[in-house]
Amino acid sequence: GLANRGAPRWRILQRDWSIRVSVLHRVTPPDSGYAAMSPKITGELLRQLRQAMRNCKYFSEPIQAYIVPSGDAHQSEYIAPCDCRREFICGFNGSAGTAIVTEQHAAMWTDGRYFLQASQQMDNNWTLMKMGLKETPSQEDWLISILPENSKVGVDPWIIAADQWKNMSKALTGAGHSLVAVQDNLIDAVWMERPERPSTQLRALGLDYTGMTWQDKITVLRAKMTERKITWFVATALDEIAWLFNLRGADIEYNPVFFAYAIVGMNTIRLFVDLKRLYDPALRNHLQLDSPSKPELSIHTFPYESVYTELQAICAALSPKDKVWICDKASCALTQVIPKAHRTPIPYTPLCLAKAVKNATEIQGMKMAHIKDAVALCELFAWLEKEIPKGTVTEISAADKAEELRSQQRDFVGLSFPTISSVGPNGAIIHYRPLPETNRTLSMNEVYLIDSGAQYVDGTTDVTRTVHFGTPSAFEKECFTYVLKGHIAVSAAVFPNGTKGHLLDSFARAALWDSGLDYLHGTGHGVGCFLNVHEGPCGISYKTFADEPLEAGMIVSDEPGYYEDGSFGIRIENVVLVIPTKPKYNYRNRGSLTFEPLTLVPIQVKMMNTELLTQKEVRNIQWNYPT
Amino acid sequence: GLANRGAPRWRILQRDWSIRVSVLHRVTPPDSGYAAMSPKITGELLRQLRQAMRNCKYFSEPIQAYIVPSGDAHQSEYIAPCDCRREFICGFNGSAGTAIVTEQHAAMWTDGRYFLQASQQMDNNWTLMKMGLKETPSQEDWLISILPENSKVGVDPWIIAADQWKNMSKALTGAGHSLVAVQDNLIDAVWMERPERPSTQLRALGLDYTGMTWQDKITVLRAKMTERKITWFVATALDEIAWLFNLRGADIEYNPVFFAYAIVGMNTIRLFVDLKRLYDPALRNHLQLDSPSKPELSIHTFPYESVYTELQAICAALSPKDKVWICDKASCALTQVIPKAHRTPIPYTPLCLAKAVKNATEIQGMKMAHIKDAVALCELFAWLEKEIPKGTVTEISAADKAEELRSQQRDFVGLSFPTISSVGPNGAIIHYRPLPETNRTLSMNEVYLIDSGAQYVDGTTDVTRTVHFGTPSAFEKECFTYVLKGHIAVSAAVFPNGTKGHLLDSFARAALWDSGLDYLHGTGHGVGCFLNVHEGPCGISYKTFADEPLEAGMIVSDEPGYYEDGSFGIRIENVVLVIPTKPKYNYRNRGSLTFEPLTLVPIQVKMMNTELLTQKEVRNIQWNYPT
């Protein structure tokens, strides 16, 4: 869909999976009286923004329209408060949306998940553009229909991806207008109390957590570059940089990353980061900043902001045959620094691909994390069983209890995403998160769905269980059992090496389809190891074709569901590890793969209609959850 | 893959399905001593072609390279002898391949299916470019590496698709060369005994066969055009034109089509066809050429060749808001006549989409055709059972017998593709067709695979059965049963309205995958009604993402297989009709679909290992093939 244009491919994987996408930008904690549902008053802000649009201090000529995408300069899925510019200007704080302001108009495009929320959060200065409806114009068409001839449309080139820029520019140019890069962000210019860019303490991870030194990762990266005759690689994705240097930060909530860029050549390594963060002697030692073992493994550090000028300097010195790798979804600003003849855009960087295949140490860490996580959730369910009859447990307090129990586990760092804790009808809202005004009390009479996860230093978890503390209805059990059958069908699938995850998506749906049911999200996403809970380049979804083949060592989620509007929601999610398997034959020596569940949280037997299960499915459940 | 670039999307569906693709260009009948395996002597031909390349009679300047794609001006899958230009110049007669001739070099690109055949059919003047191997350069890269600076690369713009032209042109321009359109085909210029373009007798189909008059089809087309604000539609695909006017020809073997173009406006209809074909009074009456009922349903006929100048005239008179629909895979020549501002390229034309959904009359016709076809094949199998023990039946004679038996059925027109009749190890060659030098005798000891079909006036058939006339081995039965399980899994699948066929592909493979087996082709293709046996826009394949959703009334094949190299091949193919079904629930009122087999040919029980079948699968077989 349109909403996904410009997102990195693996984000598209996650977007269509789309369970938690609306809950990304939590700035106000849910228990502090979240009042986002009254519209933000934007008249004065818009006046100031329009003044900035006319002000030749920012651009040599007045601009007639200004585009405000969501997102940061790294195309992150979750963003820091200082990057919530679209929310600041229009009030709408959902995860997906683009605002455009002209002299006369202000419009904001978002998709069906957010029509209600956006209409409540935006005041009358704004027109809500409902994406996916036939009558809604695209941003390009709308601009073309309202702009005076020969208009300039401005955008911050750092927060628009190169391919998005290209499409928008082509459409505008075709209609006699032009898309122009405004280097200073005009929202920042009018945002008086804009938060600082976070600069949290960095944590160095040793070999016992990473299984591979950053030096070896650099060496492997360079080997890939040599193989493809690439002389430079520009890393822009925050999780790739964190993975490469075996460092973690806390700059973005739920994501243990830090704001940085890296440029790796065949003999040099440049790291762009707030230099204050590197004063710590232990960190300096980890990065060998003061005594590099070899010159080609010496890291040159630069301020975060100087990536642009440094890349310019590198590009000025390129030889005719030099080629530079950059992700095709990187920012327009950085991409365009590289002369076209030298630029080699790639859908997935070698770091993205390498990071996805976990090594033995990472797998061991993920297993440990899942053991701890299962302990915490078992404690939660035991506590719920005891407390629910008292009528005092709410969606929010259950989520808080889950966090409290997880936080008691060793090496706990924080949650890996905002907990979806939902009872009865709230469970049917796929991207629900409990707010004080929607908070329901858990009871013996309704289905409870909890989708939650944590960051531990040794691994990241993400698990959904659907339980009933009284007696589930026959229909609830029936639906749960179809979902379980789909969950098992994926989990137990045997498939050839080289198979892409999207080919497994229908396995998760067959039992539901047989009864005329379905769910409107993907089935799985890649999971990082003490990194982002959503990562590329693999996944299991009907919507994408651009995922990379599954490989042994990759870790994905398996999470089919069923949602009965106004009544209940069901989802069963495990994190599973891709492992080799040896079936009876081995066609063309391709080898076969299957999944090993990492998640150990029990699945409630009370919710199953065992008559609908085959012998094989029952054996699968008994094997994975021995009683 | 590269071989598919430029093919219409539905051809890509068929290509990866790829079972019969190598057997398309049969010019010499197989029983007349096919000797294509000795290389064609091309020295003199190449000398003449190079002379033409230098001759400014054809292009204003000498050209340094000339590209000879396979294919005709309509992007047909099967082509007429007069269009086999690539075969003529290099000798290689496979279905996929592109030849490029420069002053010094001659090279031909084809894929792995054809490496052996191409190396045998081409002489030393030619370099075989093995596509898919790492060391093989792309056509663009190869040209850039060998051409002198500032070269002109020529191609016939009628047989290169618009998008292919664009890609090639971009690559060449980037390297300082240019791609130029040479209006006269240079192969034709040196092809002394080039066959005439066929102009077979046209057959008008009445309402009892088509279920819809061509006038009504025009009206529906115009309604779609109005809906999308389109003023002109240019039809270039031969099967779409045949379908639109309820006419059939025999210009291309196996495909009841005729060479033509059509341009439909809101008030006019232009048909471009060899005018001699329209002398027949019955045809003139069918098309109402002499007394149109309404002016806007009057067909203006023009010579086939005048489509270019007529389209130019239409485009010269376009109003600023006029938009012209043309398939994005149409020829570069015709596409570029339409000014860019007016051109609306579409992946699937409204005719392609409408043709795919069969009406009640067509479905009834297809059912009748399949009854007749099943009678013929049952007679064949009875005859084989009697004759094989005598040791006199060969792959070729069995294929001939099948054709003879089919030809005795009412309204038989011809075969719908060359019969694949293969015994034992030949069955493992997916795109096999029997030639005198490969012809094996059928025996009691080997598996026999026959994939065949016919054109009847009421419908098109395509069926594969795999049988054994003695005692199959346990392994043969095991593999057959997995294939059967996959075949049933697709055939019995229930899925929501709006589901694309590629989402069903894995169902066909799951049983094979479980045992480490697989097959390297797609699972199904669209089937025309007394039209091409392969048609878009739907199909069932893991390789494509561009198929259109399945709809009730669409007809596709379901044909998983297993191929044990050097030993045997198994494929079970039915043609199936998409029908609505009513499972227990109806999620979001989307409605559900399933398949009804049209093919009635029995499946040999002797080949099944019934222990591997579930109760449900056994019931499915009993239901569809009652004993």
Side-chain angles (χ1 to χ4, degrees):
Chain A
L2 278 174
N4 296 330
R5 279 164 69 181
R9 300 252 158 82
W10 62 267
R11 281 187 59 189
I12 294 174
L13 280 179
Q14 296 149 9
R15 281 291 172 83
D16 71 67
W17 162 84
S18 89
I19 288 169
R20 293 174 204 109
V21 174
S22 75
V23 293
L24 307 184
H25 299 157
R26 175 149 71 97
V27 179
T28 322
D31 48 350
S32 74
Y34 189 74
M37 290 301 157
S38 55
K40 174 162 180 168
I41 308 303
T42 60
E44 174 56 19
L45 279 180
L46 285 171
R47 199 191 55 74
Q48 292 173 12
L49 175 60
R50 286 172 176 138
Q51 207 165 31
M53 287 161 61
R54 288 186 297 263
N55 189 336
C56 297
K57 179 174 130 194
Y58 301 110
F59 191 74
S60 54
E61 292 171 71
I63 60 174
Q64 283 70 47
Y66 189 66
I67 304 177
V68 187
S70 28
D72 64 14
H74 305 271
Q75 305 291 316
S76 304
E77 182 190 9
Y78 293 43
I79 59 178
C82 62
D83 289 317
C84 296
R85 298 182 179 96
R86 187 254 301 135
E87 173 183 350
F88 171 77
I89 194 64
C90 74
F92 166 61
N93 73 349
S95 67
T98 299
I100 304 185
V101 177
T102 70
E103 270 303 323
Q104 306 289 336
H105 304 274
M108 205 282 300
W109 280 255
T110 192
D111 62 71
R113 292 172 293 164
Y114 294 122
F115 292 165
L116 182 67
Q117 181 182 337
S119 68
Q120 290 173 341
Q121 293 183 323
M122 299 195 306
D123 69 9
N124 287 336
N125 292 304
W126 288 87
T127 306
L128 173 57
M129 294 295 193
K130 298 181 173 182
M131 284 166 52
L133 301 195
K134 261 194 180 171
E135 62 270 25
T136 305
S138 69
Q139 293 162 26
E140 293 89 334
D141 288 349
W142 181 78
L143 280 168
I144 292 166
S145 72
I146 60 149
L147 285 177
E149 265 177 51
N150 212 349
S151 283
K152 303 238 168 312
V153 178
V155 67
D156 179 346
W158 287 92
I159 56 174
I160 186 168
D163 59 346
Q164 257 179 310
W165 169 281
K166 203 173 152 186
N167 293 337
M168 176 62 82
S169 178
K170 202 174 158 185
L172 292 176
T173 307
H177 309 296
S178 56
L179 184 64
V180 301
V182 183
Q183 293 299 332
D184 289 316
N185 190 293
L186 298 190
I187 301 297
D188 298 357
V190 302
W191 191 349
M192 288 309 117
E193 296 176 22
R194 179 164 169 251
E196 290 274 303
R197 181 159 304 282
S199 183
T200 55
Q201 202 188 337
L202 296 186
R203 177 201 299 257
L205 294 182
L207 259 188
D208 44 341
Y209 287 105
T210 64
M212 192 172 187
T213 63
W214 63 261
Q215 289 91 339
D216 285 346
K217 290 178 180 179
I218 292 276
T219 305
V220 169
L221 168 63
R222 284 179 175 152
K224 287 256 175 259
M225 290 165 64
T226 304
E227 190 189 312
R228 303 295 181 90
K229 297 183 182 141
I230 299 290
T231 37
W232 295 93
F233 168 65
V234 182
T236 63
L238 300 186
D239 60 339
E240 294 181 15
I241 298 166
W243 177 86
L244 177 63
F245 292 106
N246 292 335
L247 291 175
R248 298 294 187 270
D251 290 2
I252 295 182
E253 206 178 359
Y254 312 113
N255 295 254
V257 296
F258 56 97
F259 285 100
Y261 292 99
I263 303 180
V264 179
M266 294 313 291
N267 297 301
T268 68
I269 306 166
R270 289 174 174 79
L271 175 62
F272 302 84
V273 66
D274 178 1
L275 293 176
K276 288 195 302 293
R277 306 173 91 157
L278 301 179
Y279 291 170
D280 173 11
L283 272 181
R284 299 191 71 78
N285 184 44
H286 172 82
L287 294 174
Q288 297 199 293
L289 292 183
D290 303 311
S291 53
S293 57
K294 298 176 189 172
E296 71 272 20
L297 289 174
S298 138
I299 298 176
H300 299 265
T301 60
F302 297 84
Y304 174 68
E305 294 75 15
S306 64
V307 63
Y308 189 83
T309 50
E310 272 301 310
L311 185 57
Q312 273 183 323
I314 289 170
C315 290
L318 291 177
S319 308
K321 288 212 152 186
D322 284 349
K323 295 274 175 200
V324 183
W325 255 346
I326 189 165
C327 181
D328 63 6
K329 305 290 173 186
S331 72
C332 173
L334 265 196
T335 304
Q336 294 194 347
V337 170
I338 309 164
K340 238 184 161 173
H342 297 285
R343 199 191 300 160
T344 307
I346 36 175
Y348 299 114
T349 75
L351 297 187
C352 173
L353 293 162
K355 174 167 63 62
V357 181
K358 275 69 181 173
N359 62 38
T361 306
E362 290 170 320
I363 291 170
Q364 190 50 37
M366 287 293 273
K367 287 185 176 175
M368 288 307 298
H370 280 83
I371 291 172
K372 294 183 283 189
D373 213 53
V375 169
L377 276 195
C378 288
E379 289 171 346
L380 174 74
F381 289 128
W383 179 82
L384 287 175
E385 215 157 50
K386 205 176 69 203
E387 298 297 320
I388 285 174
K390 303 179 188 162
T392 53
V393 185
T394 67
E395 292 169 339
I396 291 176
S397 73
D400 289 346
K401 186 70 181 180
E403 181 165 358
E404 180 200 325
L405 291 166
R406 280 189 163 108
S407 73
Q408 293 163 4
Q409 293 294 326
R410 201 180 57 193
D411 277 349
F412 172 86
V413 176
L415 298 187
S416 56
F417 58 92
T419 299
I420 297 177
S421 169
S422 56
V423 179
N426 286 344
I429 303 166
I430 295 177
H431 59 289
Y432 179 78
R433 54 173 290 240
L435 302 175
E437 60 270 34
T438 63
N439 195 15
R440 283 176 79 86
T441 300
L442 275 65
S443 84
M444 314 274 288
N445 306 317
E446 291 184 322
V447 172
Y448 177 60
L449 182 159
I450 179 164
D451 184 353
S452 61
Q455 299 285 3
Y456 303 92
V457 182
D458 42 7
T460 303
T461 66
D462 182 358
V463 50
T464 311
R465 287 296 180 265
T466 306
V467 291
H468 201 293
F469 294 94
T471 306
S473 74
F475 183 54
E476 287 163 348
K477 286 171 68 175
E478 183 184 359
C479 295
F480 182 94
T481 308
Y482 296 147
V483 172
L484 178 62
K485 287 166 85 79
H487 176 88
I488 293 170
V490 169
S491 207
V494 174
F495 49 91
N497 257 317
T499 302
K500 292 182 170 195
H502 70 260
L503 291 170
L504 308 181
D505 185 76
S506 298
F507 290 155
R509 299 176 201 274
L512 287 161
W513 282 356
D514 263 343
S515 295
L517 305 177
D518 198 5
Y519 55 96
L520 301 183
H521 57 74
T523 301
H525 55 84
V527 178
C529 180
F530 185 29
L531 264 177
N532 296 356
V533 73
H534 303 156
E535 67 170 26
C538 57
I540 303 174
S541 172
Y542 61 102
K543 275 195 194 165
T544 186
F545 212 53
D547 52 334
E548 287 288 311
L550 293 170
E551 271 182 60
M554 285 181 167
I555 292 178
V556 297
S557 70
D558 168 15
E559 47 181 314
Y562 176 72
Y563 309 92
E564 181 76 12
D565 284 345
S567 186
F568 62 87
I570 288 163
R571 187 160 62 250
I572 304 173
E573 175 185 25
N574 279 358
V575 169
V576 295
L577 169 70
V578 182
I579 57 168
T581 184
K582 284 198 189 301
K584 194 167 172 189
Y585 304 110
N586 187 8
Y587 179 65
R588 302 215 164 184
N589 287 311
R590 283 198 295 175
S592 289
L593 300 171
T594 188
F595 297 109
E596 175 188 332
L598 298 182
T599 305
L600 298 167
V601 183
I603 295 175
Q604 198 180 35
V605 177
K606 186 200 282 184
M607 286 294 289
M608 302 175 198
N609 177 343
T610 49
E611 283 171 28
L612 298 175
L613 294 171
T614 65
Q615 283 290 322
K616 221 170 144 185
E617 286 162 346
V618 170
R619 276 199 302 275
N620 180 289
I621 296 164
Q622 287 168 340
W623 176 261
N624 286 305
Y625 307 97
T627 44
Chain B
L2 279 172
N4 295 332
R5 279 163 70 181
R9 301 254 157 83
W10 63 266
R11 281 187 59 190
I12 294 174
L13 281 177
Q14 297 149 8
R15 281 293 173 82
D16 71 67
W17 162 83
S18 91
I19 289 171
R20 292 175 204 107
V21 174
S22 77
V23 293
L24 307 185
H25 301 157
R26 175 149 71 98
V27 180
T28 321
D31 48 349
S32 74
Y34 190 76
M37 290 301 158
S38 56
K40 174 163 181 169
I41 308 303
T42 59
E44 174 58 19
L45 279 180
L46 285 170
R47 198 191 55 75
Q48 292 174 13
L49 176 60
R50 286 173 176 137
Q51 208 164 31
M53 287 162 59
R54 287 185 298 262
N55 189 337
C56 297
K57 179 174 127 193
Y58 300 110
F59 192 75
S60 54
E61 293 172 71
I63 58 174
Q64 284 69 47
Y66 189 65
I67 304 176
V68 188
S70 26
D72 66 13
H74 305 271
Q75 306 291 319
S76 304
E77 183 191 8
Y78 292 42
I79 59 179
C82 63
D83 289 317
C84 297
R85 299 181 178 96
R86 188 253 302 137
E87 173 184 350
F88 172 77
I89 194 65
C90 72
F92 166 61
N93 73 347
S95 68
T98 298
I100 304 185
V101 176
T102 70
E103 270 302 324
Q104 307 288 335
H105 304 274
M108 205 281 300
W109 281 254
T110 191
D111 62 69
R113 292 172 292 164
Y114 294 122
F115 292 166
L116 183 67
Q117 181 182 336
S119 69
Q120 290 173 341
Q121 293 182 324
M122 299 195 307
D123 70 8
N124 287 335
N125 292 304
W126 288 87
T127 306
L128 173 57
M129 294 294 194
K130 299 182 173 180
M131 284 165 55
L133 302 194
K134 261 194 179 167
E135 61 270 25
T136 305
S138 69
Q139 293 161 25
E140 293 89 334
D141 288 348
W142 181 78
L143 280 168
I144 292 166
S145 73
I146 60 148
L147 285 177
E149 265 176 52
N150 212 349
S151 284
K152 304 238 168 310
V153 178
V155 68
D156 179 346
W158 287 92
I159 56 174
I160 185 167
D163 57 347
Q164 259 180 309
W165 168 282
K166 204 172 152 188
N167 292 337
M168 177 61 83
S169 178
K170 201 173 158 188
L172 292 176
T173 308
H177 309 296
S178 56
L179 184 64
V180 300
V182 183
Q183 293 299 332
D184 289 316
N185 191 293
L186 299 190
I187 301 297
D188 298 357
V190 303
W191 191 349
M192 287 311 117
E193 295 176 24
R194 180 166 168 250
E196 291 272 304
R197 183 160 303 283
S199 182
T200 55
Q201 202 187 339
L202 297 185
R203 177 199 299 259
L205 295 181
L207 258 188
D208 43 341
Y209 286 105
T210 64
M212 192 172 187
T213 63
W214 64 260
Q215 290 90 338
D216 285 346
K217 290 179 179 177
I218 292 276
T219 305
V220 169
L221 169 62
R222 283 179 176 151
K224 286 256 175 258
M225 290 164 64
T226 304
E227 188 189 313
R228 302 297 181 89
K229 295 180 185 147
I230 299 291
T231 37
W232 294 94
F233 167 65
V234 182
T236 64
L238 300 186
D239 61 338
E240 295 181 14
I241 298 166
W243 177 84
L244 178 62
F245 292 106
N246 292 335
L247 291 175
R248 298 295 186 270
D251 290 2
I252 296 182
E253 206 178 358
Y254 311 113
N255 296 251
V257 296
F258 56 97
F259 286 100
Y261 292 98
I263 303 179
V264 179
M266 295 313 292
N267 296 302
T268 68
I269 306 166
R270 289 173 174 81
L271 174 62
F272 303 85
V273 66
D274 178 2
L275 293 177
K276 288 195 302 293
R277 307 176 89 157
L278 301 179
Y279 291 169
D280 173 12
L283 271 180
R284 298 192 71 78
N285 184 44
H286 171 82
L287 294 175
Q288 297 198 292
L289 293 183
D290 304 311
S291 54
S293 57
K294 298 176 190 171
E296 71 272 21
L297 289 173
S298 135
I299 298 176
H300 300 264
T301 60
F302 298 85
Y304 174 68
E305 294 76 14
S306 64
V307 63
Y308 189 83
T309 49
E310 271 302 309
L311 185 57
Q312 274 184 323
I314 288 170
C315 290
L318 290 177
S319 306
K321 287 209 152 187
D322 284 350
K323 295 274 177 200
V324 184
W325 256 345
I326 189 165
C327 180
D328 62 7
K329 305 291 174 189
S331 73
C332 174
L334 265 197
T335 305
Q336 293 194 348
V337 169
I338 309 164
K340 238 184 160 174
H342 297 286
R343 198 191 301 159
T344 307
I346 37 176
Y348 299 113
T349 74
L351 297 187
C352 173
L353 294 162
K355 174 167 63 62
V357 180
K358 275 69 180 173
N359 62 38
T361 307
E362 290 170 321
I363 290 169
Q364 189 51 36
M366 287 293 272
K367 286 184 177 175
M368 286 307 298
H370 280 83
I371 291 171
K372 295 183 282 189
D373 214 54
V375 169
L377 277 195
C378 288
E379 288 172 344
L380 174 74
F381 290 128
W383 180 82
L384 287 174
E385 215 156 48
K386 205 177 67 203
E387 297 296 322
I388 285 173
K390 303 179 189 164
T392 53
V393 185
T394 67
E395 292 168 340
I396 291 176
S397 73
D400 289 346
K401 186 71 183 178
E403 181 165 358
E404 180 200 325
L405 292 166
R406 281 189 164 109
S407 72
Q408 295 163 3
Q409 293 294 328
R410 202 182 56 196
D411 277 349
F412 173 85
V413 176
L415 298 187
S416 57
F417 59 91
T419 299
I420 297 177
S421 169
S422 56
V423 180
N426 286 344
I429 303 166
I430 295 177
H431 58 288
Y432 179 78
R433 54 173 289 241
L435 302 174
E437 59 269 35
T438 63
N439 196 15
R440 283 175 80 88
T441 300
L442 274 65
S443 84
M444 314 275 287
N445 306 316
E446 291 184 321
V447 171
Y448 177 59
L449 181 159
I450 179 165
D451 184 352
S452 61
Q455 298 285 2
Y456 303 92
V457 183
D458 41 8
T460 302
T461 66
D462 181 359
V463 50
T464 310
R465 287 296 181 265
T466 306
V467 291
H468 202 293
F469 295 94
T471 307
S473 74
F475 182 54
E476 287 163 348
K477 287 171 67 176
E478 183 184 359
C479 295
F480 182 93
T481 309
Y482 296 147
V483 171
L484 179 61
K485 287 167 85 77
H487 176 89
I488 293 170
V490 169
S491 207
V494 174
F495 49 92
N497 257 317
T499 302
K500 292 181 170 195
H502 71 258
L503 292 171
L504 308 181
D505 185 76
S506 298
F507 290 156
R509 297 174 201 276
L512 287 160
W513 283 356
D514 264 342
S515 295
L517 305 177
D518 198 4
Y519 55 96
L520 300 183
H521 57 75
T523 301
H525 55 84
V527 177
C529 181
F530 186 29
L531 265 177
N532 296 356
V533 73
H534 303 157
E535 67 169 29
C538 57
I540 303 174
S541 172
Y542 61 102
K543 275 194 191 165
T544 186
F545 210 54
D547 52 333
E548 287 287 311
L550 293 170
E551 272 181 60
M554 284 180 167
I555 291 179
V556 296
S557 70
D558 168 15
E559 47 181 315
Y562 176 72
Y563 310 92
E564 181 76 12
D565 283 346
S567 186
F568 62 87
I570 288 162
R571 186 161 62 252
I572 304 173
E573 175 185 24
N574 278 359
V575 169
V576 295
L577 168 70
V578 183
I579 57 168
T581 184
K582 284 198 189 301
K584 194 168 172 188
Y585 304 109
N586 187 7
Y587 178 64
R588 300 214 165 185
N589 287 311
R590 283 197 297 174
S592 289
L593 300 171
T594 188
F595 297 109
E596 174 188 335
L598 298 184
T599 304
L600 298 167
V601 183
I603 295 175
Q604 198 180 35
V605 177
K606 186 200 281 183
M607 285 293 290
M608 302 175 197
N609 177 344
T610 49
E611 283 171 28
L612 297 174
L613 294 171
T614 65
Q615 284 290 321
K616 222 170 144 185
E617 287 162 344
V618 170
R619 276 198 304 275
N620 180 289
I621 297 164
Q622 288 167 338
W623 178 260
N624 286 305
Y625 307 98
T627 44

